[in-house]
Amino acid sequence: MKKKMFARAVKLGFFMILAAAVLTGCRFGFASDPDDPNKVVKEEPIDVSIDRFEYDSSLSGARITLLNSKAEIQVALTKMAEIFEQESGIHVEVMPVTDGDSPYTKVVSMYNSGTPPTMAILDTTDVIALAKEKAADLTGEPWTGEAEEYLTRVDEMVYSFPLCIEGRGLIYNKAVIEELLGEEFDPSSLTTQREFVDLLDRLEAAGMKRPVSLAKEDWSLGAHHLQYIYETYDGTSEGAREAIEAIKAGTLDLKTYSRLDQFLNMFDVLKEHNVAQKDPLGADYDEMAIDLADGKTAFWFNGNWAWPNLREAGAENEDEYGFLPYFLSDDPQDFANSHIQASPSKQIMIDGKVASEKEREAAKEFLRWMVFSEIGQQMIVKTCNLIPPFQNNPYEPADPLSRDIYNKVHEEKAFNASAIVPNDHWSALGSAMQKYLAGRSGREELTESVEGYWESQK
């Protein structure tokens, strides 16, 4: 830990240089500098000696495009496209969404100009908005049977390819906790909010001033935190939709909704133990990774997409990082206290309006290749560092955050609930959450903000 502390100032300076908007699993997250092709990155080797995938030779020579809104895999996707072209003869141009641009706005503008991408990596909300008018029907594709639980359906039709599973919760640094407390830390032993608070109190008594890092960004507060009130309604996407519709209709009163009260209880715990408690809106996102890796804090609320931040801060694949649930109650039988939220956060949509038949078939070939070819399966996990939603993929992620989510999914310790909300939800209600975080509003005002937002959506 002391060795990591030595490099702290240098790393922080590096982060400040890169501190553009940080792209998350749903909209924004860390981008590992896709504009620097000369950057040396340690890569998992890919075995290309075995490939039993049957390529359609009639598609050779096709040229298609892929709009990528997941910036941290821009370089990896480009490499994947190069290998795919070598094997299939199909050229895939990977086009990044510019920092600060909305993927939805970008793809709509491309449609308006008459030059939409053949494929686009979009948020689930965006796919649902565009599916019927713009997307190709993928219902009959063979990979649907390998990811049945993670498919997004619009009127019983499949219009998108689930690219990856991403999960979120309280990231912990196991070694730091054990070093400070002088005992083994078993994450599964925590099953209630009270037990989590007791651990925080013990860490502070042992010398850690405040153990939690809490991001101030509106996308984190308005999406990753607040959306628990919908997603934990019953732990399903249908349940999240039901909760949202009931709030809109006024049949679910937020003032008496237990999940909102429980959520705010947990958020208050994080506020109280926040390392940036004195200036919560001045917290620096990039420094949080350094704090966790160096041991200044023990927990950071985030998702497995934060691994590039931690890796830059000195964390290694062999280190023991993982996720605790977002503890919502003191009931050990409450699924929210024992399960991690994990769902398909990014989808690939194929254009069904402008692309030629050959281009659409070439795009479908690319998606099939990612699922069924030995090379594609490896590259999704090892090159792109994604958690595949397809049950036939035998490869496991290398980094500890993705590996922990992967294990929890396979151990049925994750709940697959995605709250489908309007594009401005995270910004509008993220602003209200920032006021609450800073102590400039109370529960009543925050509740009224949530009610007012959904009232405006009728």
Side-chain angles (χ1 to χ4, degrees), residues 197-257:
V197 172
D198 288 344
L199 175 60
L200 295 176
D201 290 341
R202 291 183 63 205
L203 290 169
E204 290 178 354
M208 184 175 286
K209 190 172 182 180
R210 290 193 179 89
V212 175
S213 288
L214 192 56
K216 69 175 187 303
E217 283 73 15
D218 55 2
W219 50 258
S220 178
L221 298 172
H224 298 160
H225 283 273
L226 186 60
Q227 285 184 194
Y228 276 112
I229 70 173
Y230 319 127
E231 294 164 345
T232 59
Y233 183 76
D234 66 2
T236 68
S237 295
E238 179 57 31
R241 187 197 65 78
E242 183 180 335
I244 289 170
E245 291 303 316
I247 293 170
K248 287 168 65 175
T251 57
L252 179 57
D253 184 358
L254 287 176
K255 294 181 177 64
T256 59
Y257 179 38

Side-chain angles (χ1 to χ4, degrees), residues 79-348:
K79 292 179 180 178
M80 178 179 281
E82 291 172 354
I83 297 296
F84 177 67
E85 183 172 11
Q86 291 173 18
E87 302 295 319
S88 69
I90 299 169
H91 177 77
V92 181
E93 179 187 354
V94 183
M95 306 181 298
V97 174
T98 307
D99 279 350
D101 281 355
S102 157
Y104 177 82
T105 301
K106 177 65 175 177
V107 77
V108 168
S109 71
M110 294 178 76
Y111 269 105
N112 290 340
S113 67
T115 57
T118 321
M119 299 178 284
I121 299 177
L122 300 169
D123 297 328
T124 303
T125 302
D126 300 337
V127 169
I128 291 174
L130 295 168
K132 290 184 179 180
E133 183 181 352
K134 308 291 188 185
D137 178 14
L138 303 177
T139 307
E141 287 299 295
W143 45 259
T144 58
E146 300 292 342
E148 185 64 38
E149 183 181 352
Y150 296 103
L151 298 177
T152 296
R153 297 185 185 274
V154 179
D155 292 342
E156 303 305 315
M157 304 288 284
V158 176
Y159 293 99
S160 60
F161 174 95
L163 178 62
C164 60
I165 297 172
E166 291 183 313
R168 68 187 194 273
L170 293 160
I171 301 174
Y172 63 78
N173 184 332
K174 188 172 187 285
V176 164
I177 296 170
E178 293 181 340
E179 181 178 335
L180 198 59
L181 298 183
E183 63 187 49
E184 183 178 354
F185 172 58
D186 177 10
S188 65
S189 67
L190 300 179
T191 58
T192 67
Q193 189 180 109
R194 181 68 259 171
E195 290 170 349
F196 177 60
V197 172
D198 288 344
L199 175 60
L200 295 176
D201 290 341
R202 291 183 63 205
L203 290 169
E204 290 178 354
M208 184 175 286
K209 190 172 182 180
R210 290 193 179 89
V212 175
S213 288
L214 192 56
K216 69 175 187 303
E217 283 73 15
D218 55 2
W219 50 258
S220 178
L221 298 172
H224 298 160
H225 283 273
L226 186 60
Q227 285 184 194
Y228 276 112
I229 70 173
Y230 319 127
E231 294 164 345
T232 59
Y233 183 76
D234 66 2
T236 68
S237 295
E238 179 57 31
R241 187 197 65 78
E242 183 180 335
I244 289 170
E245 291 303 316
I247 293 170
K248 287 168 65 175
T251 57
L252 179 57
D253 184 358
L254 287 176
K255 294 181 177 64
T256 59
Y257 179 38
S258 61
R259 280 307 197 198
L260 177 58
D261 191 53
Q262 291 170 348
F263 162 72
L264 290 174
N265 288 343
M266 180 59 178
F267 191 77
D268 285 349
V269 168
L270 301 180
K271 280 176 57 179
E272 180 183 348
H273 298 273
N274 181 13
V275 69
Q277 184 192 68
K278 292 183 179 179
D279 183 19
L281 298 186
D284 183 86
Y285 184 92
D286 296 325
E287 189 173 0
M288 293 177 191
I290 303 172
D291 287 344
L292 187 66
D294 287 349
K296 183 177 179 180
T297 60
F299 303 101
W300 181 23
F301 176 75
N302 216 321
N304 62 292
W305 55 82
W307 179 248
N309 302 70
L310 286 168
R311 184 179 58 211
E312 292 288 354
E316 299 177 354
N317 283 351
E318 296 73 25
D319 294 339
E320 293 185 272
Y321 293 87
F323 288 92
L324 294 179
Y326 202 92
F327 300 103
L328 289 180
S329 70
D330 288 327
D331 178 5
Q333 302 305 314
D334 185 346
F335 75 90
N337 295 333
S338 59
H339 289 63
I340 299 294
Q341 187 278 343
S343 60
S345 55
K346 289 289 185 179
Q347 310 274 336
I348 299 181

Side-chain angles (χ1 to χ4, degrees), residues 20-97:
V22 178
L23 294 177
T24 74
C26 66
R27 175 70 63 186
F28 297 107
F30 178 77
S32 54
D33 199 7
D35 296 323
D36 183 5
N38 298 314
K39 184 177 180 179
V40 177
V41 179
K42 182 180 178 181
E43 296 180 1
E44 291 286 321
I46 302 299
D47 180 6
V48 297
S49 64
I50 299 176
D51 187 15
R52 289 182 284 263
F53 186 78
E54 296 183 5
Y55 297 92
D56 184 347
S57 60
S58 70
L59 299 174
S60 181
R63 301 181 67 85
I64 58 178
T65 54
L66 170 63
L67 182 68
N68 174 33
S69 63
K70 194 167 177 57
E72 66 268 30
I73 63 170
Q74 175 66 23
V75 172
L77 279 178
T78 301
K79 292 179 180 178
M80 178 179 281
E82 291 172 354
I83 297 296
F84 177 67
E85 183 172 11
Q86 291 173 18
E87 302 295 319
S88 69
I90 299 169
H91 177 77
V92 181
E93 179 187 354
V94 183
M95 306 181 298
V97 174

